[in-house]
């Protein structure tokens, strides 16, 4: 008995703690079977009416009427409730439970009272049996049916059985007292069974609920980007496919705009990832408000967003792209700092540019690639020619990967002449790719490809080690120059790569020269700055390559101490025709002399050009007239000859005499 009381208390506490959904589900169990409720009502009415009619007792007749009405009301409520609110709303569910509870208790009490009156007001054993069996049977059944709400079940049990026991105890027959006692024991047993059933039901429901919650959570995680709350790639693709299936039926188009924020990595690197995340969230909000009511937006990871919108008018996709560009460029306030980003957009329109989601997305991506290579901060619609170019590039990329693995690449060396001494002071390492079918592929074509695919890192590593190993075999006073791709100058492992190349080859650091283009210096990237300073600490020489082709800002000449400026080939080619080219060369020579830097004239092809740059006091010359890029074995023989005191001979017979005349 005490353990039952303890259990009752415990259950009371547990019941208050159960989650809302679980409670609602438990309440739902009360209404699951309106049939059993109906059977209970019919049985109660039938028995009580039969006894009332046979006994002609007005009290029993009144109770029989009350039983019939209560039963009907309860069935009505259950059916009505069941139809209208399947218990999804907590308040509605609590109200229904209360109504059910009142109905259940009243009905149980009426049955108990009917049996009590039958026992005390009549002597007919058959009536007694009919009423007793009905009420006790009902009490037993109801404990099982309503165990999900134990307070209701136990209340019904007590209200039905207590008057029966009382009626039996009030009789003069000892055997009836025994039956009254047994009824009490039966009630205690049923309470225990109800509580156990409740615990089991509760456990099962809580587990189901937890599972439902987890499933919903995983489904959400699988479909949405947790940071911005936008749909992810998988969800977007599904949505796109569904939308594509419907556009055929209407005269509508579907535009996909693939947006990539320009130089977002730099925001992350310079302002930190939390700021970067806020920028992404702000962009996500802007994009959501743009497409609101017109389409949807998803985040494809990193700084890439894809918008989907419907339209019928010609040029609606381009208008949308312009709108997105205008929204993105508005400076955003992040922690009081104004941050401005720009974006590049690739646009593809269905059904014109593809009929399935994969094709449309692939085409938008290709258009994005073009938007980026056209200088970013712009949008680019997809054109069929892009696909051919893309396929060709992919073929070339695959071939380049194979070439790297099979070592089909080779490093050639082009001499750089010191115009004051007439000797070769260093050689520039230039990559060559002999493709078995395509023949010689120009580095101007495959280096950008290597940069965009990440292959530049292994390639540069290889070039560095080849160049250092080659130069280590050359005379001591000849250095080697290696071109450094801008993409590589953001990789902090670069200095390890260089140190390891120097260490394995045994080349002194002062003999290795790195050629950097202006674009790297203009970007003001923290990583590049650190790297350039590190190179200078190691003792490497630094030169600015292709000077004059970029912005030619002079501020970085002050910021870093460069050893060389290489005047771009285009100025040398124009030297005889263009007064401006000559003026620029003169100005640069003066600047280099003031800053104590060497100045190299690139692309010397003729005696006239050599004459001009010597006269202009360039300190060094590089070009086909001095020497073409050549394989390592050849350059080594020629440098060894120079080391033995032989004069360097150019590609052309006229080279040496011309140089001698110029030096005289
Ligand atoms: P660059 O660094 O400016 O290299 C000089 C380019 O001018 C070379 O072209 C060279 O062959 C060419 N050249 C030399 N003398 C003359 C001349 O008298 N007339 C003419 N018309 N051209 C001359 P190349 O070898 O085709 O390389 C093109 C560019 O590819 C290089 O320009 C460099 O930016 C890049 N590159 C080459 N090798 C590598 C490498 O190993 N790594 C990286 N990152 N870039 C490389
Ligand atoms: Mg170069
Ligand atoms: Mg150059």
């Amino acid at each position: 008995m005490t353990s039952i009381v303890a259990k009752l208390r415990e259950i009371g506490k547990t019941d208050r703690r159960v989650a809302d959904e679980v409670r609602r589900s438990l309440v739902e169990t009360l209404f699951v079977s309106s049939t059993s409720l109906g059977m209970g009502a019919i049985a109660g009415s039938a028995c009580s009416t039969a006894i009332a009619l046979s006994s002609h007792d007005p009290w029993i007749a009144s109770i029989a009427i009350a039983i019939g009405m209560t039963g009907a009301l309860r069935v009505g409520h259950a059916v009505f409730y069941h139809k209208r609110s399947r218990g999804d709303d907590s308040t509605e569910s609590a109200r229904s439970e209360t109504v059910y509870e009142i109905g259940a208790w009243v009905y149980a009490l009426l049955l108990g009272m009917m049996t009590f009156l039958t026992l005390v007001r009549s002597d007919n054993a058959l009536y007694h049996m009919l009423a007793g069996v009905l009420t006790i049977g009902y009490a037993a059944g109801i404990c099982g049916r309503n165990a999900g709400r134990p307070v209701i079940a136990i209340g019904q049990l007590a209200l039905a059985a207590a008057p029966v026991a009382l009626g039996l105890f009030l009789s003069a027959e000892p055997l009836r007292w025994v039956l009254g006692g047994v009824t009490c024991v039966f009630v205690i047993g049923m309470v225990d069974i109800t509580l156990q059933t409740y615990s089991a039901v509760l456990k099962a429901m809580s587990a189901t609920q937890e599972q439902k919650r987890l499933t919903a959570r995983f489904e959400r995680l699988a479909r949405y980007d947790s940071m911005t709350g936008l749909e992810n790639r998988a969800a977007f693709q599904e949505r796109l496919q569904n939308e594509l299936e419907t556009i055929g039926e209407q005269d509508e188009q579907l535009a996909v705009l693939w947006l990539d924020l320009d130089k977002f990595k730099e925001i992350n690197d310079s302002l930190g990832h939390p700021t970067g995340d806020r920028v992404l969230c702000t962009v996500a909000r802007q994009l959501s408000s743009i497409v609101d009511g017109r389409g949807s937006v998803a985040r494809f990871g990193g700084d890439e967003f894809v918008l989907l919108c419907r339209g019928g008018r010609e040029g609606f996709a381009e208008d949308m792209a312009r709108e997105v560009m205008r929204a993105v460029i508005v400076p955003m306030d992040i922690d009081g700092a104004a941050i401005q980003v720009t974006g590049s957009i690739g646009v593809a329109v269905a059904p014109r540019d593809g009929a399935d989601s994969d094709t449309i997305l692939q085409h938008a991506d290709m258009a994005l690639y073009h938007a980026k290579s056209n200088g970013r901060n712009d949008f680019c619609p997809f054109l069929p020619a892009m696909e051919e170019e893309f396929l060709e590039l992919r073929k070339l990329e695959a071939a380049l990967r194979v070439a790297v693995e099979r070592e089909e690449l080779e490093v050639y060396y082009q001499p750089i002449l010191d115009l004051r001494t007439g000797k070769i002071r260093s050689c520039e390492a230039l990559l060559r790719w002999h493709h078995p079918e395509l023949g010689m592929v120009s580095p101007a074509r495959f280096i950008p490809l290597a940069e965009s695919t990440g292959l530049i890192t292994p390639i540069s590593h290889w070039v560095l080690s080849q160049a250092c190993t080659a130069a280590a075999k050359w005379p001591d006073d000849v250095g080697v120059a290696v071109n450094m791709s801008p993409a590589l100058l953001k990789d902090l492992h670069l200095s390890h790569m260089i140190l390891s190349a120097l260490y394995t080859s045994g080349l002194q650091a002062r003999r290795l020269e790195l050629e950097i283009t202006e674009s790297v210096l203009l970007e003001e990237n923290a990583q590049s700055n650190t790297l350039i300073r590190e190179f200078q600490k190691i003792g490497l020489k630094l030169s600015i390559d292709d000077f004059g082709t970029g912005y030619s800002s002079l501020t970085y000449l002050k910021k870093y101490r460069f050893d060389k400026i290489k005047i771009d080939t285009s100025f040398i080619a124009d030297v005889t025709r263009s007064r401006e080219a000559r003026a620029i060369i003169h100005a640069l020579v003066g600047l280099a002399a003031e800053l104590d830097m060497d100045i190299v004239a690139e692309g010397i092809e003729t005696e006239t050009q050599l004459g001009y740059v010597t006269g202009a006091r360039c300190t060094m010359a590089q070009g086909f007239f001095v020497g073409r890029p050549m394989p390592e074995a050849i350059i080594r023989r020629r440098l060894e000859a120079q080391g033995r005191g032989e004069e360097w001979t150019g590609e052309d017979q006229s080279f040496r005499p011309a140089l001698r005349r110029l030096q005289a």
Side-chain angles (χ1 to χ4, degrees), residues 414 428 430-432 443 483 485 545-546 602-603 605 623-624 629:
Q414 185 176 30
E428 178 173 2
L430 293 164
L431 205 47
R432 293 291 174 265
N483 290 288
S485 160
D545 203 358
D546 306 338
E602 280 192 271
E605 293 183 354
F624 296 164

Side-chain angles (χ1 to χ4, degrees), residues 124-141:
N124 190 319
L126 196 57
Y127 298 168
H128 294 179
M129 193 177 76
L130 204 58
V133 167
L134 167 78
T135 308
I136 296 299
Y138 179 84

Side-chain angles (χ1 to χ4, degrees), residues 169-404:
F169 286 132
L170 288 180
S171 141
E173 272 184 64
L175 263 181
R176 294 198 177 220
W177 302 343
V178 173
L179 193 55
V182 168
T183 306
C184 294
V185 174
F186 158 79
V187 168
I188 296 168
M190 282 317 292
V191 169
D192 194 40
I193 290 171
T194 307
L195 294 180
Q196 275 179 27
T197 313
Y198 170 67
S199 298
V201 170
L202 185 65
K203 247 186 228 158
M205 284 212 171
S206 301
T208 314
Q209 213 58 48
E210 180 62 11
Q211 199 172 1
K212 266 196 209 159
R213 208 177 54 76
L214 285 177
T215 312
R217 186 151 175 253
F218 285 127
E219 261 170 23
R220 207 185 144 71
L221 280 178
R223 296 188 62 84
Y224 291 90
D225 167 49
S226 55
M227 192 175 78
T228 58
L230 296 179
E231 276 186 335
N232 61 16
R233 184 189 284 262
F236 183 86
Q237 272 173 314
E238 203 180 300
R239 178 189 286 277
L240 176 59
Q241 193 55 49
N242 291 341
E243 297 260 342
L244 282 170
E245 278 159 22
T246 62
I247 54 162
E249 301 155 13
Q250 297 147 22
D251 197 16
E252 257 189 332
Q253 291 181 317
L254 207 55
V256 169
L257 284 77
W258 194 317
L259 165 76
D260 185 306
L261 299 182
D262 299 329
K263 301 187 181 167
F264 181 72
K265 190 175 176 299
E266 283 165 29
I267 293 185
N268 262 344
D269 291 345
S270 55
L271 303 173
H273 284 259
T275 307
D277 289 353
R278 297 211 351 232
V279 169
L280 290 175
C281 289
T282 312
V283 172
R285 275 197 301 277
Q286 285 171 333
L287 297 177
S288 303
S289 71
I290 290 179
V291 293
D292 193 24
R294 289 193 278 177
S296 61
V297 57
R299 180 174 174 224
F300 270 28
D303 57 348
E304 292 185 21
F305 297 89
V306 181
L307 291 88
L308 176 70
C309 59
R310 277 177 181 267
R313 198 170 35 80
E314 193 54 40
F316 83 98
E318 283 79 2
D319 289 345
M320 188 78 165
R322 279 187 207 99
E323 204 177 319
V324 170
M325 311 250 330
R326 275 199 300 274
V328 167
I329 209 165
V330 175
M332 45 186 106
D333 180 22
I334 309 277
D335 289 340
I339 297 179
Q340 192 179 27
V341 290
T342 59
S344 307
I345 303 175
V347 182
V349 180
R352 187 188 69 201
D353 301 330
D356 63 282
S357 67
D358 285 348
T359 314
I360 280 288
L361 280 171
Q362 203 179 27
H363 288 173
D365 193 18
M366 282 176 202
L368 171 65
Y369 174 82
H370 275 260
K372 284 202 266 187
S373 46
N374 289 350
R376 303 168 197 264
N377 189 18
D378 204 355
F379 70 92
C380 184
F382 170 77
L383 296 172
M386 289 177 187
E387 181 143 41
E388 285 152 36
E389 198 182 314
F390 173 82
L391 293 176
E392 208 174 289
L393 268 180
R394 292 288 77 82
K395 249 199 253 164
L396 203 64
E397 182 194 334
L400 185 58
R401 280 183 199 279
V402 174
V404 173

